[in-house]
């Protein structure tokens, strides 16, 4: 639906005929009707995007759908509009003026604030890198989406009332034009770059956790749907490299999801997979990503040759930058992870900039590239679901986004791999599970709510000998109830405790249910086990004198004696990059 389609191109770029409406966050066609044609009829021509198949004309989308350059938006399979004519879009119960009309000017918001508002209507956003990218796209691009089953590995989909976890996987599979020269052309690919992107429940902050490809991890058994539709149970591998969770033995991204859950205790809501071509096309679509080098780089393996200073990279050069490792840091994969994080931070700043948000051409190119480049899970294989997910992810200010890496140590048995740093990694995982920010941001009301919750932990504590508790397994590893019971009785002298085996139903995390008159016992047990205030669930009525409290162990329980409450501050010496700060690669 552009000027060229009407024989009135006059040398105009189709995308530039669309104007961003600051009141709705949508693009609207601005085209003066030629003589003999009404403004209404000017909007009825069938649209076709270059390079994509023609689709039947669709009905006007509901009011919450974004208007799409070059096409009528709407759900898949929707019928044509009434008489081929779009109805006026309703806003606040009133019909909006035709696309050719003019709105009365309203007071202007500051450019920065307005850009963040427009994000909800136009920004294609997540993260990019041989492992990451972002997008927030329109109904027009539905046909570009490639989806793979989660095979039950995820949560079943994100929701507005809880934190969001998206696993972004960069595969080193050499598919696509121009990638044969990178070697290993016949490889089925690995989980080469992996980022677990966690957005807090209140959307004030986010943490992007990089998982090293060479980390030794337990890959669980993976029920998998193959490309031909066959269902297969792929056996797990104890103590394998993390990157073999994808591609090897027919493993799909759902297996990488399961491996992340096994490693961190966090179940991702969704996954997205990017290959080499995704990096090249997305960085080109956004107009390049700014990077800074503290020294000259000449890496023969990644084919990157850049001088010290600032550069804007896109396409092949951007891919080379993200693949380089021998010329930065210690020359390891961990050094490469750091420059990838710096690159992604710069990309986020570019996506949030008004130059990107207010350019119809850039937004069109970015959405087109993203939908063609990424493979997503089957829970977000519809453009409207992706749009809603993008709105949630894009709401976080870059200053409150922290990139960090799973704390690891050199593997004493194999110098080519790394192992978990057991003194630090559990703290990082716990902070993400408990939705604790890695940045300094924290709203006053959040602090007040936490102080109120912590009040449950303050007060007198009963003697260990007076604590009476039944222990249940509600989703913890097998044998956890007995493990906890042995520890309570032998190490903490809680003799009035029993193992009640499996709970009637699983819980999301460990919880302690008690009567108001057992509060002193609850505080003692919480102190012993490191339970957070949120784990304490008081009832409304007092318990009987001989009634025990009910402790149900959830997936967060690993072993007795390990605190279950998350630290409020990350270890001081863990690696991190703040998304809003430019850093020069060393």
């Amino acid at each position: 639906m552009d000027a060229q389609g009407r024989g009135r191109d006059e040398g105009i770029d189709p995308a530039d005929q669309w104007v961003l409406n600051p009141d709705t966050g949508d693009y609207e066609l601005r085209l003066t009707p030629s003589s003999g044609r009404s403004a209404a009829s000017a909007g009825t021509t069938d649209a076709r995007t270059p390079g994509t198949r023609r689709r039947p004309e669709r009905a006007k989308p509901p009011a919450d759908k974004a208007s799409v350059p070059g096409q009528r938006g709407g759900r898949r399979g929707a019928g044509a509009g009434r008489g081929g004519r779009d109805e006026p879009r309703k806003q606040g119960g009133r019909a909006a003026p035709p696309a050719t009309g003019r709105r009365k000017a309203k007071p202007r918001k500051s450019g920065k604030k307005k850009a963040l508002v427009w994000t909800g209507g136009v920004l294609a956003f997540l993260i990019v890198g041989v492992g990451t990218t972002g997008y927030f796209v329109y109904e027009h691009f539905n046909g570009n989406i490639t989806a793979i089953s989660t095979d039950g590995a995820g949560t079943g989909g994100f929701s507005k009332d809880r934190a969001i976890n998206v696993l972004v996987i960069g595969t080193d599979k050499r598919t696509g034009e121009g990638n044969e020269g990178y070697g290993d052309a016949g490889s089925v690919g690995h989980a080469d770059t992996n980022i677990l992107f966690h957005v807090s429940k209140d959307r004030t902050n986010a943490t992007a956790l990089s998982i090293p490809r060479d980390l030794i991890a337990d890959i669980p058994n993976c029920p998998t749907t193959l490309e031909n539709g066959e269902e297969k149970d792929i056996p797990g591998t104890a103590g394998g490299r993390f990157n073999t969770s994808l591609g090897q033995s027919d493993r799909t991204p759902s297996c990488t999801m399961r491996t992340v859950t096994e490693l961190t205790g966090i179940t991702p809501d969704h996954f997205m997979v990017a290959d080499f071509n995704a990096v090249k096309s997305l960085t080109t679509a956004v107009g390049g990503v700014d990077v800074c080098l503290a020294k000259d780089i000449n890496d023969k393996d990644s084919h990157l040759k850049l001088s010290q200073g600032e550069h804007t990279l896109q396409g092949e050069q951007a891919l080379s930058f993200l693949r380089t490792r021998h010329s930065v840091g210690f020359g390891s994969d961990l050094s490469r992870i750091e420059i990838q994080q710096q690159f992604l931070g710069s990309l986020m700043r570019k996506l949030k900039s008004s130059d990107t948000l207010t350019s119809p051409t850039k937004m069109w190119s970015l959405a087109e590239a993203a939908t063609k480049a990424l493979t997503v899970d089957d829970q977000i294989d519809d453009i409207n679901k992706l749009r809603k997910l993008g709105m949630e992810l894009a709401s976080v200010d870059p200053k409150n986004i922290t990139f960090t890496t799973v704390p690891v140590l050199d593997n004493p048995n194999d110098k080519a791999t790394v192992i978990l740093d057991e003194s630090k990694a559990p703290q990082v995982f716990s902070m993400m599970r408990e939705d604790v920010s890695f940045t300094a941001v924290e709203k006053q009301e959040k602090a007040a709510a936490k102080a109120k919750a912590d009040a449950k932990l303050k007060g007198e504590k009963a003697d260990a000998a007076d604590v009476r508790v039944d222990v249940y397994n509600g989703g913890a590893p097998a044998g956890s109830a007995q493990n906890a019971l042995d520890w309570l009785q032998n190490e903490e002298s809680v003799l009035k405790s029993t193992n009640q085996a499996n709970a009637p139903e699983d819980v999301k995390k460990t919880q302690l249910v008690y009567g108001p008159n057992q509060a002193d016992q609850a505080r003692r047990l919480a102190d012993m086990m490191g339970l957070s205030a949120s784990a304490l669930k008081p009832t409304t009525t007092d318990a009987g004198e001989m009634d025990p409290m009910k402790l149900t162990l959830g997936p967060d329980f690993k072993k007795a004696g390990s605190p279950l409450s998350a630290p409020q501050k990350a270890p001081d010496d863990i690696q991190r990059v703040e998304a809003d700060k430019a850093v020069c690669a060393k």
Side-chain angles (χ1 to χ4, degrees):
M1 194 168 75
D2 53 38
Q4 284 82 348
R6 301 172 189 177
R8 298 169 51 211
D9 59 324
E10 301 172 353
I12 302 174
D13 185 327
D16 287 334
Q17 299 167 62
W18 291 82
V19 178
L20 188 63
N21 185 333
D23 299 307
T24 66
D26 293 345
Y27 282 107
E28 296 178 353
L29 185 65
R30 295 291 189 244
L31 197 63
T32 304
S34 57
S35 61
R37 306 186 69 159
S38 70
S41 65
T44 62
T45 305
D46 180 40
R48 189 175 185 182
T49 304
T52 61
R53 65 182 182 275
R54 181 180 293 275
R55 294 179 168 215
E57 186 174 336
R58 299 182 178 183
K60 179 83 175 168
D64 70 329
K65 300 282 174 61
S67 298
V68 180
Q71 177 208 314
R72 301 173 194 274
R75 298 182 184 274
R76 282 191 256 195
R82 202 177 298 172
R85 175 174 295 186
D86 290 338
E87 295 295 324
R89 180 158 45 84
K90 298 282 183 79
Q91 295 175 349
R94 294 176 296 177
T100 55
R102 297 273 184 186
R103 284 187 178 275
K104 183 178 180 181
K106 293 188 176 182
R108 297 177 63 86
K109 299 180 182 180
S110 69
K112 182 177 180 181
K113 197 164 187 178
K114 189 157 54 177
L116 293 177
V117 172
W118 289 347
T119 298
V122 297
L123 183 61
F125 174 69
L126 195 71
I127 9 180
V128 143
V130 181
T132 351
T133 188
Y135 72 110
F136 167 29
V137 291
Y138 306 93
E139 187 84 36
H140 172 74
F141 304 101
N142 235 355
N144 292 343
I145 299 173
T146 301
I148 298 177
S149 174
T150 62
D151 294 310
T155 63
F158 78 95
S159 64
K160 287 180 171 289
D161 59 350
R162 57 181 172 81
I164 297 175
N165 294 287
V166 178
L167 176 62
V168 187
I169 307 169
T171 175
D172 58 353
K173 191 174 182 180
R174 268 65 167 170
T175 53
E177 184 179 352
N179 297 321
E180 304 84 357
Y182 290 111
D184 199 16
S187 172
V188 293
H190 303 76
D192 196 54
T193 299
N194 310 276
I195 296 181
L196 181 60
F197 193 66
H198 171 88
V199 180
S200 65
K201 179 179 178 180
D202 63 7
R203 309 299 188 254
T204 62
N205 62 88
T207 302
L209 179 69
S210 293
I211 303 174
R213 66 179 188 181
D214 297 322
L215 174 65
I216 296 299
D218 292 334
I219 301 171
N221 295 334
C222 300
T224 304
T225 304
L226 304 180
E227 287 187 13
N228 62 7
E230 176 189 350
E231 294 184 356
K232 176 181 178 181
D233 284 334
I234 302 175
T237 303
R241 290 194 189 205
F242 185 93
N243 68 349
T244 61
S245 65
L246 176 67
Q248 315 309 299
S249 304
D250 291 326
R251 290 177 178 135
T252 67
S254 66
C255 192
T256 308
M257 287 182 88
R258 294 184 193 277
T259 306
V260 167
T261 302
E262 182 82 11
L263 176 70
T264 67
I266 300 168
T267 302
D269 298 296
H270 301 287
F271 67 71
M272 297 180 181
V273 183
D275 60 14
F276 286 178
N277 278 355
V279 176
K280 292 190 283 188
S281 61
L282 284 156
T283 55
T284 300
V286 80
V289 177
D290 299 329
V291 300
C292 175
L293 302 179
K295 62 180 182 181
D296 294 345
I297 288 183
N298 187 2
D299 188 338
K300 295 180 180 179
D301 290 329
S302 68
H303 311 295
L304 180 67
K305 185 174 182 180
L306 291 173
S307 60
Q308 177 184 350
E310 297 180 354
H311 301 268
T312 300
L313 307 181
Q314 64 183 36
E316 201 76 41
Q317 213 174 25
L319 176 61
S320 297
F321 180 83
L322 290 167
R323 294 186 66 248
T324 191
R325 60 177 176 136
H326 298 299
S327 299
V328 294
F330 298 104
S332 67
D333 184 55
L334 297 179
S335 297
R336 182 173 69 167
I337 285 175
E338 289 191 39
I339 67 168
Q340 287 175 347
Q341 292 172 347
Q342 293 162 13
F343 184 93
L344 296 175
S346 179
L347 173 63
M348 287 182 176
R349 295 191 296 273
K350 184 67 171 284
L351 288 172
K352 285 280 191 178
S353 71
S354 58
D355 287 346
T356 300
L357 294 173
T358 58
S359 169
T361 302
K362 281 187 179 179
M363 293 309 302
W364 176 284
S365 299
L366 183 60
E368 182 77 3
T371 48
K372 287 183 176 180
L374 297 176
T375 297
V376 301
D377 68 79
D378 57 357
Q379 301 299 315
I380 45 173
D381 61 354
D382 172 81
I383 205 67
N384 194 43
K385 295 176 185 176
L386 285 170
R387 180 176 69 86
K388 291 177 181 177
L389 174 60
M391 291 176 71
E392 297 296 317
L393 300 176
S395 62
V396 184
D397 193 313
K399 73 178 181 181
N400 297 328
I401 300 175
T402 300
F403 288 93
T404 189
T405 304
V406 173
V408 296
L409 301 171
D410 290 335
N411 186 354
N413 300 318
D414 180 6
K415 294 298 182 183
T417 61
V418 292
I419 58 176
L420 279 185
D421 183 341
E422 295 290 353
S423 68
K424 298 173 184 174
Q427 296 180 60
V428 172
F429 300 154
S430 179
M431 288 181 68
M432 293 181 68
R433 286 195 304 266
E434 296 292 323
D435 213 15
V436 178
S437 174
F438 281 67
T439 70
V441 65
E442 187 163 5
K443 293 182 177 180
Q444 289 184 351
E445 57 265 29
K446 193 173 182 180
K450 182 178 181 302
K452 182 178 180 181
D454 286 347
K456 289 189 289 187
L457 297 172
K458 297 178 180 179
E460 293 186 4
K461 298 180 180 66
D463 291 335
D466 295 329
V467 173
R468 192 182 298 272
V469 61
D470 284 347
V471 183
Y472 295 80
N473 189 328
S480 292
Q482 188 60 47
N483 172 259
L485 183 71
D486 292 343
W487 179 79
L488 287 170
Q489 293 186 344
N490 299 327
E491 302 294 331
E492 299 296 328
S493 300
V494 181
L495 302 180
K496 297 176 182 177
S497 52
T498 58
N499 176 2
Q500 295 294 328
N502 291 333
E505 59 183 26
D506 287 352
V507 293
K508 291 184 178 180
K509 66 177 187 177
T510 299
Q511 64 180 32
L512 177 64
V513 178
Y514 60 95
N517 60 331
Q518 296 173 316
D520 56 341
Q521 296 182 49
R523 286 191 286 266
R524 173 60 67 189
L525 190 62
D527 184 56
M528 292 175 183
M529 299 192 65
L531 299 177
S532 64
S534 62
L536 273 58
K537 309 292 184 183
T539 62
T540 56
T541 58
D542 285 343
E545 184 177 352
M546 302 299 290
D547 290 342
M549 298 183 294
K550 182 179 178 180
L551 174 66
T552 305
L553 306 176
D556 55 335
F557 179 86
K558 300 303 178 185
K559 64 178 181 178
S562 296
L564 295 179
S565 58
Q568 295 303 302
K569 184 176 179 294
D572 290 331
D573 53 351
I574 67 167
Q575 178 271 333
R576 71 179 74 193
V577 172
E578 305 299 333
D580 66 323
K581 296 179 176 63
V583 181
C584 291
K586 299 179 180 179

